Amino acid sequence: QVQLVEVGGGLVQPGGSLRLSCAASTFTFSNYDMSWYRQTPGKERELVAAMRSTGGSTIYADSVKGRFTIFRDNAKNTVDLQMNSLQPEDTAVYYCNAHSVWNNYWGQGTQVTVSS
């Protein structure tokens, strides 16, 4: 069974926006820290944004701070990433992650391409 499913990727011009969504299929979000990562071929997977299980604390990579926002809804088992002012360097496969002491789940990724 797929643990996490991401949707919302695609092609966008520089300066445009996309909203990524992630949903759980076999577990509930309430006790998990949720995050978004991204990765390009040959490079290390990079943390983009994260939110604690309580929903009261968030962190962002310096490269996206002020442009990206993470949202979670524990009741609906979803976490979203709103991406504004996209630039070519944001091009990557974006992955949703759910982490606890006992489990670590990854989605299969969704491609985001920023190009003219």
Side-chain angles (χ1 to χ4, degrees), residues 43-77:
K43 294 186 177 181
E44 182 178 313
R45 188 169 295 186
E46 173 191 22
L47 175 65
V48 176
M51 179 175 286
R52 297 287 298 275
S53 60
T54 62
S57 180
T58 58
I59 59 172
Y60 296 94
D62 288 341
S63 59
V64 307
K65 189 173 296 183
R67 300 187 297 121
F68 291 10
T69 306
I70 187 171
F71 304 90
R72 71 184 294 163
D73 188 335
N74 287 341
K76 297 181 179 179
N77 263 14

PDB file of all heavy atoms in Angstrom, residues 43-77:
ATOM      1  N   LYS A  43      22.387  15.136  -6.786  1.00  0.00           N
ATOM      2  CA  LYS A  43      22.499  16.005  -5.626  1.00  0.00           C
ATOM      3  C   LYS A  43      21.801  15.398  -4.419  1.00  0.00           C
ATOM      4  O   LYS A  43      20.923  14.549  -4.545  1.00  0.00           O
ATOM      5  CB  LYS A  43      21.916  17.383  -5.924  1.00  0.00           C
ATOM      6  CG  LYS A  43      22.686  18.172  -6.974  1.00  0.00           C
ATOM      7  CD  LYS A  43      22.138  19.583  -7.109  1.00  0.00           C
ATOM      8  CE  LYS A  43      22.946  20.385  -8.102  1.00  0.00           C
ATOM      9  NZ  LYS A  43      22.432  21.778  -8.228  1.00  0.00           N
ATOM     10  N   GLU A  44      22.198  15.860  -3.246  1.00  0.00           N
ATOM     11  CA  GLU A  44      21.623  15.398  -1.993  1.00  0.00           C
ATOM     12  C   GLU A  44      20.195  15.905  -1.842  1.00  0.00           C
ATOM     13  O   GLU A  44      19.874  17.032  -2.228  1.00  0.00           O
ATOM     14  CB  GLU A  44      22.500  15.888  -0.835  1.00  0.00           C
ATOM     15  CG  GLU A  44      22.047  15.441   0.537  1.00  0.00           C
ATOM     16  CD  GLU A  44      23.001  15.924   1.619  1.00  0.00           C
ATOM     17  OE1 GLU A  44      24.227  15.764   1.433  1.00  0.00           O
ATOM     18  OE2 GLU A  44      22.526  16.454   2.639  1.00  0.00           O
ATOM     19  N   ARG A  45      19.345  15.062  -1.288  1.00  0.00           N
ATOM     20  CA  ARG A  45      17.981  15.481  -1.017  1.00  0.00           C
ATOM     21  C   ARG A  45      17.977  16.605   0.020  1.00  0.00           C
ATOM     22  O   ARG A  45      18.627  16.517   1.065  1.00  0.00           O
ATOM     23  CB  ARG A  45      17.151  14.297  -0.533  1.00  0.00           C
ATOM     24  CG  ARG A  45      15.670  14.589  -0.409  1.00  0.00           C
ATOM     25  CD  ARG A  45      14.852  13.319  -0.176  1.00  0.00           C
ATOM     26  NE  ARG A  45      14.916  12.417  -1.314  1.00  0.00           N
ATOM     27  CZ  ARG A  45      14.207  11.297  -1.429  1.00  0.00           C
ATOM     28  NH1 ARG A  45      13.380  10.937  -0.457  1.00  0.00           N
ATOM     29  NH2 ARG A  45      14.335  10.534  -2.500  1.00  0.00           N
ATOM     30  N   GLU A  46      17.225  17.658  -0.256  1.00  0.00           N
ATOM     31  CA  GLU A  46      17.250  18.888   0.523  1.00  0.00           C
ATOM     32  C   GLU A  46      15.927  19.099   1.244  1.00  0.00           C
ATOM     33  O   GLU A  46      14.864  18.982   0.637  1.00  0.00           O
ATOM     34  CB  GLU A  46      17.534  20.074  -0.410  1.00  0.00           C
ATOM     35  CG  GLU A  46      17.417  21.436   0.244  1.00  0.00           C
ATOM     36  CD  GLU A  46      17.440  22.569  -0.757  1.00  0.00           C
ATOM     37  OE1 GLU A  46      17.122  22.327  -1.944  1.00  0.00           O
ATOM     38  OE2 GLU A  46      17.786  23.703  -0.366  1.00  0.00           O
ATOM     39  N   LEU A  47      16.005  19.433   2.518  1.00  0.00           N
ATOM     40  CA  LEU A  47      14.810  19.803   3.269  1.00  0.00           C
ATOM     41  C   LEU A  47      14.330  21.173   2.810  1.00  0.00           C
ATOM     42  O   LEU A  47      15.096  22.138   2.801  1.00  0.00           O
ATOM     43  CB  LEU A  47      15.092  19.826   4.767  1.00  0.00           C
ATOM     44  CG  LEU A  47      13.944  20.306   5.661  1.00  0.00           C
ATOM     45  CD1 LEU A  47      12.772  19.341   5.593  1.00  0.00           C
ATOM     46  CD2 LEU A  47      14.416  20.477   7.100  1.00  0.00           C
ATOM     47  N   VAL A  48      13.065  21.254   2.450  1.00  0.00           N
ATOM     48  CA  VAL A  48      12.467  22.503   1.977  1.00  0.00           C
ATOM     49  C   VAL A  48      11.661  23.176   3.078  1.00  0.00           C
ATOM     50  O   VAL A  48      11.813  24.373   3.333  1.00  0.00           O
ATOM     51  CB  VAL A  48      11.581  22.248   0.748  1.00  0.00           C
ATOM     52  CG1 VAL A  48      10.878  23.536   0.313  1.00  0.00           C
ATOM     53  CG2 VAL A  48      12.410  21.674  -0.397  1.00  0.00           C
ATOM     54  N   ALA A  49      10.785  22.426   3.720  1.00  0.00           N
ATOM     55  CA  ALA A  49       9.917  22.964   4.758  1.00  0.00           C
ATOM     56  C   ALA A  49       9.468  21.837   5.667  1.00  0.00           C
ATOM     57  O   ALA A  49       9.321  20.699   5.232  1.00  0.00           O
ATOM     58  CB  ALA A  49       8.701  23.671   4.153  1.00  0.00           C
ATOM     59  N   ALA A  50       9.236  22.151   6.941  1.00  0.00           N
ATOM     60  CA  ALA A  50       8.806  21.147   7.905  1.00  0.00           C
ATOM     61  C   ALA A  50       7.890  21.767   8.936  1.00  0.00           C
ATOM     62  O   ALA A  50       8.005  22.951   9.255  1.00  0.00           O
ATOM     63  CB  ALA A  50      10.011  20.506   8.591  1.00  0.00           C
ATOM     64  N   MET A  51       6.994  20.940   9.464  1.00  0.00           N
ATOM     65  CA  MET A  51       6.070  21.367  10.503  1.00  0.00           C
ATOM     66  C   MET A  51       5.972  20.275  11.555  1.00  0.00           C
ATOM     67  O   MET A  51       5.787  19.103  11.232  1.00  0.00           O
ATOM     68  CB  MET A  51       4.697  21.683   9.920  1.00  0.00           C
ATOM     69  CG  MET A  51       3.666  22.115  10.954  1.00  0.00           C
ATOM     70  SD  MET A  51       2.083  22.617  10.223  1.00  0.00           S
ATOM     71  CE  MET A  51       2.545  24.211   9.531  1.00  0.00           C
ATOM     72  N   ARG A  52       6.074  20.664  12.822  1.00  0.00           N
ATOM     73  CA  ARG A  52       5.972  19.722  13.921  1.00  0.00           C
ATOM     74  C   ARG A  52       4.580  19.112  13.998  1.00  0.00           C
ATOM     75  O   ARG A  52       3.615  19.651  13.452  1.00  0.00           O
ATOM     76  CB  ARG A  52       6.305  20.405  15.249  1.00  0.00           C
ATOM     77  CG  ARG A  52       7.727  20.933  15.349  1.00  0.00           C
ATOM     78  CD  ARG A  52       8.716  19.785  15.500  1.00  0.00           C
ATOM     79  NE  ARG A  52       8.487  19.012  16.708  1.00  0.00           N
ATOM     80  CZ  ARG A  52       8.973  19.327  17.898  1.00  0.00           C
ATOM     81  NH1 ARG A  52       9.741  20.399  18.051  1.00  0.00           N
ATOM     82  NH2 ARG A  52       8.706  18.552  18.946  1.00  0.00           N
ATOM     83  N   SER A  53       4.475  17.980  14.707  1.00  0.00           N
ATOM     84  CA  SER A  53       3.198  17.277  14.809  1.00  0.00           C
ATOM     85  C   SER A  53       2.109  18.129  15.433  1.00  0.00           C
ATOM     86  O   SER A  53       0.931  17.950  15.122  1.00  0.00           O
ATOM     87  CB  SER A  53       3.370  15.980  15.605  1.00  0.00           C
ATOM     88  OG  SER A  53       3.828  16.244  16.920  1.00  0.00           O
ATOM     89  N   THR A  54       2.495  19.045  16.303  1.00  0.00           N
ATOM     90  CA  THR A  54       1.529  19.928  16.940  1.00  0.00           C
ATOM     91  C   THR A  54       1.010  21.012  16.002  1.00  0.00           C
ATOM     92  O   THR A  54      -0.009  21.632  16.283  1.00  0.00           O
ATOM     93  CB  THR A  54       2.142  20.604  18.165  1.00  0.00           C
ATOM     94  OG1 THR A  54       3.243  21.419  17.766  1.00  0.00           O
ATOM     95  CG2 THR A  54       2.619  19.577  19.177  1.00  0.00           C
ATOM     96  N   GLY A  55       1.719  21.256  14.917  1.00  0.00           N
ATOM     97  CA  GLY A  55       1.350  22.312  13.991  1.00  0.00           C
ATOM     98  C   GLY A  55       1.755  23.702  14.433  1.00  0.00           C
ATOM     99  O   GLY A  55       1.436  24.681  13.754  1.00  0.00           O
ATOM    100  N   GLY A  56       2.467  23.803  15.550  1.00  0.00           N
ATOM    101  CA  GLY A  56       2.801  25.095  16.110  1.00  0.00           C
ATOM    102  C   GLY A  56       4.187  25.613  15.782  1.00  0.00           C
ATOM    103  O   GLY A  56       4.544  26.710  16.216  1.00  0.00           O
ATOM    104  N   SER A  57       4.967  24.847  15.027  1.00  0.00           N
ATOM    105  CA  SER A  57       6.328  25.242  14.713  1.00  0.00           C
ATOM    106  C   SER A  57       6.661  24.833  13.288  1.00  0.00           C
ATOM    107  O   SER A  57       6.383  23.704  12.887  1.00  0.00           O
ATOM    108  CB  SER A  57       7.310  24.597  15.689  1.00  0.00           C
ATOM    109  OG  SER A  57       8.638  24.971  15.402  1.00  0.00           O
ATOM    110  N   THR A  58       7.262  25.743  12.532  1.00  0.00           N
ATOM    111  CA  THR A  58       7.658  25.467  11.157  1.00  0.00           C
ATOM    112  C   THR A  58       9.084  25.928  10.910  1.00  0.00           C
ATOM    113  O   THR A  58       9.575  26.846  11.563  1.00  0.00           O
ATOM    114  CB  THR A  58       6.737  26.168  10.148  1.00  0.00           C
ATOM    115  OG1 THR A  58       6.748  27.581  10.393  1.00  0.00           O
ATOM    116  CG2 THR A  58       5.303  25.659  10.268  1.00  0.00           C
ATOM    117  N   ILE A  59       9.750  25.292   9.960  1.00  0.00           N
ATOM    118  CA  ILE A  59      11.065  25.708   9.517  1.00  0.00           C
ATOM    119  C   ILE A  59      11.095  25.679   7.991  1.00  0.00           C
ATOM    120  O   ILE A  59      10.372  24.900   7.361  1.00  0.00           O
ATOM    121  CB  ILE A  59      12.201  24.833  10.087  1.00  0.00           C
ATOM    122  CG1 ILE A  59      12.018  23.362   9.686  1.00  0.00           C
ATOM    123  CG2 ILE A  59      12.277  24.973  11.601  1.00  0.00           C
ATOM    124  CD1 ILE A  59      13.196  22.488  10.046  1.00  0.00           C
ATOM    125  N   TYR A  60      11.950  26.530   7.412  1.00  0.00           N
ATOM    126  CA  TYR A  60      12.092  26.612   5.972  1.00  0.00           C
ATOM    127  C   TYR A  60      13.560  26.718   5.604  1.00  0.00           C
ATOM    128  O   TYR A  60      14.351  27.319   6.331  1.00  0.00           O
ATOM    129  CB  TYR A  60      11.360  27.836   5.416  1.00  0.00           C
ATOM    130  CG  TYR A  60       9.861  27.802   5.598  1.00  0.00           C
ATOM    131  CD1 TYR A  60       9.260  28.395   6.701  1.00  0.00           C
ATOM    132  CD2 TYR A  60       9.054  27.177   4.660  1.00  0.00           C
ATOM    133  CE1 TYR A  60       7.890  28.360   6.867  1.00  0.00           C
ATOM    134  CE2 TYR A  60       7.674  27.135   4.819  1.00  0.00           C
ATOM    135  CZ  TYR A  60       7.100  27.726   5.923  1.00  0.00           C
ATOM    136  OH  TYR A  60       5.737  27.691   6.080  1.00  0.00           O
ATOM    137  N   ALA A  61      13.907  26.135   4.475  1.00  0.00           N
ATOM    138  CA  ALA A  61      15.234  26.357   3.927  1.00  0.00           C
ATOM    139  C   ALA A  61      15.404  27.829   3.587  1.00  0.00           C
ATOM    140  O   ALA A  61      14.459  28.501   3.161  1.00  0.00           O
ATOM    141  CB  ALA A  61      15.439  25.505   2.680  1.00  0.00           C
ATOM    142  N   ASP A  62      16.620  28.338   3.777  1.00  0.00           N
ATOM    143  CA  ASP A  62      16.869  29.748   3.481  1.00  0.00           C
ATOM    144  C   ASP A  62      16.523  30.099   2.037  1.00  0.00           C
ATOM    145  O   ASP A  62      16.074  31.214   1.748  1.00  0.00           O
ATOM    146  CB  ASP A  62      18.333  30.091   3.755  1.00  0.00           C
ATOM    147  CG  ASP A  62      18.662  30.128   5.234  1.00  0.00           C
ATOM    148  OD1 ASP A  62      17.729  30.239   6.057  1.00  0.00           O
ATOM    149  OD2 ASP A  62      19.856  30.053   5.574  1.00  0.00           O
ATOM    150  N   SER A  63      16.709  29.156   1.139  1.00  0.00           N
ATOM    151  CA  SER A  63      16.481  29.415  -0.269  1.00  0.00           C
ATOM    152  C   SER A  63      15.015  29.617  -0.625  1.00  0.00           C
ATOM    153  O   SER A  63      14.710  30.164  -1.687  1.00  0.00           O
ATOM    154  CB  SER A  63      17.060  28.279  -1.117  1.00  0.00           C
ATOM    155  OG  SER A  63      16.461  27.040  -0.772  1.00  0.00           O
ATOM    156  N   VAL A  64      14.099  29.172   0.241  1.00  0.00           N
ATOM    157  CA  VAL A  64      12.675  29.282  -0.060  1.00  0.00           C
ATOM    158  C   VAL A  64      11.921  30.149   0.939  1.00  0.00           C
ATOM    159  O   VAL A  64      10.727  30.415   0.731  1.00  0.00           O
ATOM    160  CB  VAL A  64      12.004  27.896  -0.127  1.00  0.00           C
ATOM    161  CG1 VAL A  64      12.754  26.982  -1.085  1.00  0.00           C
ATOM    162  CG2 VAL A  64      11.907  27.259   1.255  1.00  0.00           C
ATOM    163  N   LYS A  65      12.575  30.590   1.991  1.00  0.00           N
ATOM    164  CA  LYS A  65      11.912  31.381   3.017  1.00  0.00           C
ATOM    165  C   LYS A  65      11.314  32.655   2.411  1.00  0.00           C
ATOM    166  O   LYS A  65      11.970  33.366   1.657  1.00  0.00           O
ATOM    167  CB  LYS A  65      12.893  31.728   4.130  1.00  0.00           C
ATOM    168  CG  LYS A  65      12.253  32.370   5.349  1.00  0.00           C
ATOM    169  CD  LYS A  65      13.267  32.530   6.484  1.00  0.00           C
ATOM    170  CE  LYS A  65      13.757  31.184   6.976  1.00  0.00           C
ATOM    171  NZ  LYS A  65      14.689  31.324   8.130  1.00  0.00           N
ATOM    172  N   GLY A  66      10.063  32.894   2.757  1.00  0.00           N
ATOM    173  CA  GLY A  66       9.357  34.038   2.217  1.00  0.00           C
ATOM    174  C   GLY A  66       8.614  33.756   0.933  1.00  0.00           C
ATOM    175  O   GLY A  66       7.770  34.567   0.523  1.00  0.00           O
ATOM    176  N   ARG A  67       8.899  32.630   0.291  1.00  0.00           N
ATOM    177  CA  ARG A  67       8.241  32.258  -0.957  1.00  0.00           C
ATOM    178  C   ARG A  67       7.357  31.023  -0.806  1.00  0.00           C
ATOM    179  O   ARG A  67       6.329  30.923  -1.475  1.00  0.00           O
ATOM    180  CB  ARG A  67       9.271  31.990  -2.051  1.00  0.00           C
ATOM    181  CG  ARG A  67      10.148  33.188  -2.374  1.00  0.00           C
ATOM    182  CD  ARG A  67      11.026  32.914  -3.589  1.00  0.00           C
ATOM    183  NE  ARG A  67      11.964  31.817  -3.363  1.00  0.00           N
ATOM    184  CZ  ARG A  67      12.012  30.703  -4.085  1.00  0.00           C
ATOM    185  NH1 ARG A  67      11.167  30.524  -5.096  1.00  0.00           N
ATOM    186  NH2 ARG A  67      12.909  29.765  -3.822  1.00  0.00           N
ATOM    187  N   PHE A  68       7.758  30.080   0.049  1.00  0.00           N
ATOM    188  CA  PHE A  68       7.026  28.834   0.238  1.00  0.00           C
ATOM    189  C   PHE A  68       6.361  28.832   1.606  1.00  0.00           C
ATOM    190  O   PHE A  68       6.901  29.383   2.574  1.00  0.00           O
ATOM    191  CB  PHE A  68       7.959  27.624   0.163  1.00  0.00           C
ATOM    192  CG  PHE A  68       8.546  27.339  -1.189  1.00  0.00           C
ATOM    193  CD1 PHE A  68       8.417  28.228  -2.248  1.00  0.00           C
ATOM    194  CD2 PHE A  68       9.233  26.155  -1.398  1.00  0.00           C
ATOM    195  CE1 PHE A  68       8.963  27.964  -3.492  1.00  0.00           C
ATOM    196  CE2 PHE A  68       9.788  25.866  -2.633  1.00  0.00           C
ATOM    197  CZ  PHE A  68       9.655  26.770  -3.681  1.00  0.00           C
ATOM    198  N   THR A  69       5.206  28.163   1.704  1.00  0.00           N
ATOM    199  CA  THR A  69       4.496  28.020   2.961  1.00  0.00           C
ATOM    200  C   THR A  69       3.969  26.598   3.088  1.00  0.00           C
ATOM    201  O   THR A  69       3.377  26.074   2.145  1.00  0.00           O
ATOM    202  CB  THR A  69       3.325  29.008   3.073  1.00  0.00           C
ATOM    203  OG1 THR A  69       3.790  30.347   2.842  1.00  0.00           O
ATOM    204  CG2 THR A  69       2.698  28.942   4.462  1.00  0.00           C
ATOM    205  N   ILE A  70       4.174  25.981   4.250  1.00  0.00           N
ATOM    206  CA  ILE A  70       3.675  24.641   4.506  1.00  0.00           C
ATOM    207  C   ILE A  70       2.405  24.723   5.351  1.00  0.00           C
ATOM    208  O   ILE A  70       2.315  25.529   6.281  1.00  0.00           O
ATOM    209  CB  ILE A  70       4.748  23.759   5.191  1.00  0.00           C
ATOM    210  CG1 ILE A  70       4.279  22.310   5.309  1.00  0.00           C
ATOM    211  CG2 ILE A  70       5.153  24.321   6.543  1.00  0.00           C
ATOM    212  CD1 ILE A  70       5.371  21.357   5.769  1.00  0.00           C
ATOM    213  N   PHE A  71       1.421  23.905   5.010  1.00  0.00           N
ATOM    214  CA  PHE A  71       0.164  23.824   5.735  1.00  0.00           C
ATOM    215  C   PHE A  71      -0.135  22.364   6.035  1.00  0.00           C
ATOM    216  O   PHE A  71       0.146  21.492   5.216  1.00  0.00           O
ATOM    217  CB  PHE A  71      -1.000  24.394   4.910  1.00  0.00           C
ATOM    218  CG  PHE A  71      -0.817  25.798   4.443  1.00  0.00           C
ATOM    219  CD1 PHE A  71      -0.216  26.074   3.224  1.00  0.00           C
ATOM    220  CD2 PHE A  71      -1.264  26.861   5.220  1.00  0.00           C
ATOM    221  CE1 PHE A  71      -0.060  27.371   2.780  1.00  0.00           C
ATOM    222  CE2 PHE A  71      -1.113  28.164   4.788  1.00  0.00           C
ATOM    223  CZ  PHE A  71      -0.507  28.421   3.563  1.00  0.00           C
ATOM    224  N   ARG A  72      -0.732  22.096   7.184  1.00  0.00           N
ATOM    225  CA  ARG A  72      -1.179  20.741   7.482  1.00  0.00           C
ATOM    226  C   ARG A  72      -2.580  20.760   8.077  1.00  0.00           C
ATOM    227  O   ARG A  72      -2.980  21.724   8.740  1.00  0.00           O
ATOM    228  CB  ARG A  72      -0.214  20.016   8.429  1.00  0.00           C
ATOM    229  CG  ARG A  72      -0.210  20.522   9.863  1.00  0.00           C
ATOM    230  CD  ARG A  72       0.856  19.807  10.685  1.00  0.00           C
ATOM    231  NE  ARG A  72       0.561  18.396  10.853  1.00  0.00           N
ATOM    232  CZ  ARG A  72       1.469  17.489  11.229  1.00  0.00           C
ATOM    233  NH1 ARG A  72       2.724  17.851  11.449  1.00  0.00           N
ATOM    234  NH2 ARG A  72       1.104  16.210  11.371  1.00  0.00           N
ATOM    235  N   ASP A  73      -3.309  19.684   7.813  1.00  0.00           N
ATOM    236  CA  ASP A  73      -4.646  19.505   8.354  1.00  0.00           C
ATOM    237  C   ASP A  73      -4.714  18.081   8.866  1.00  0.00           C
ATOM    238  O   ASP A  73      -4.942  17.140   8.106  1.00  0.00           O
ATOM    239  CB  ASP A  73      -5.708  19.764   7.289  1.00  0.00           C
ATOM    240  CG  ASP A  73      -7.114  19.776   7.851  1.00  0.00           C
ATOM    241  OD1 ASP A  73      -7.356  19.160   8.898  1.00  0.00           O
ATOM    242  OD2 ASP A  73      -7.991  20.418   7.230  1.00  0.00           O
ATOM    243  N   ASN A  74      -4.494  17.907  10.163  1.00  0.00           N
ATOM    244  CA  ASN A  74      -4.476  16.565  10.735  1.00  0.00           C
ATOM    245  C   ASN A  74      -5.815  15.855  10.605  1.00  0.00           C
ATOM    246  O   ASN A  74      -5.859  14.634  10.456  1.00  0.00           O
ATOM    247  CB  ASN A  74      -4.063  16.627  12.206  1.00  0.00           C
ATOM    248  CG  ASN A  74      -2.593  16.922  12.392  1.00  0.00           C
ATOM    249  OD1 ASN A  74      -1.789  16.756  11.481  1.00  0.00           O
ATOM    250  ND2 ASN A  74      -2.228  17.367  13.587  1.00  0.00           N
ATOM    251  N   ALA A  75      -6.903  16.602  10.656  1.00  0.00           N
ATOM    252  CA  ALA A  75      -8.224  16.002  10.544  1.00  0.00           C
ATOM    253  C   ALA A  75      -8.435  15.371   9.175  1.00  0.00           C
ATOM    254  O   ALA A  75      -9.138  14.365   9.053  1.00  0.00           O
ATOM    255  CB  ALA A  75      -9.304  17.036  10.824  1.00  0.00           C
ATOM    256  N   LYS A  76      -7.837  15.958   8.134  1.00  0.00           N
ATOM    257  CA  LYS A  76      -7.977  15.446   6.776  1.00  0.00           C
ATOM    258  C   LYS A  76      -6.792  14.607   6.325  1.00  0.00           C
ATOM    259  O   LYS A  76      -6.794  14.091   5.206  1.00  0.00           O
ATOM    260  CB  LYS A  76      -8.180  16.606   5.796  1.00  0.00           C
ATOM    261  CG  LYS A  76      -9.456  17.397   6.028  1.00  0.00           C
ATOM    262  CD  LYS A  76      -9.599  18.517   5.012  1.00  0.00           C
ATOM    263  CE  LYS A  76     -10.885  19.288   5.219  1.00  0.00           C
ATOM    264  NZ  LYS A  76     -11.029  20.395   4.239  1.00  0.00           N
ATOM    265  N   ASN A  77      -5.777  14.484   7.170  1.00  0.00           N
ATOM    266  CA  ASN A  77      -4.567  13.732   6.823  1.00  0.00           C
ATOM    267  C   ASN A  77      -3.893  14.285   5.565  1.00  0.00           C
ATOM    268  O   ASN A  77      -3.496  13.531   4.665  1.00  0.00           O
ATOM    269  CB  ASN A  77      -4.874  12.246   6.641  1.00  0.00           C
ATOM    270  CG  ASN A  77      -4.583  11.426   7.882  1.00  0.00           C
ATOM    271  OD1 ASN A  77      -4.396  11.956   8.977  1.00  0.00           O
ATOM    272  ND2 ASN A  77      -4.542  10.108   7.710  1.00  0.00           N
TER     273      ASN A  77
END
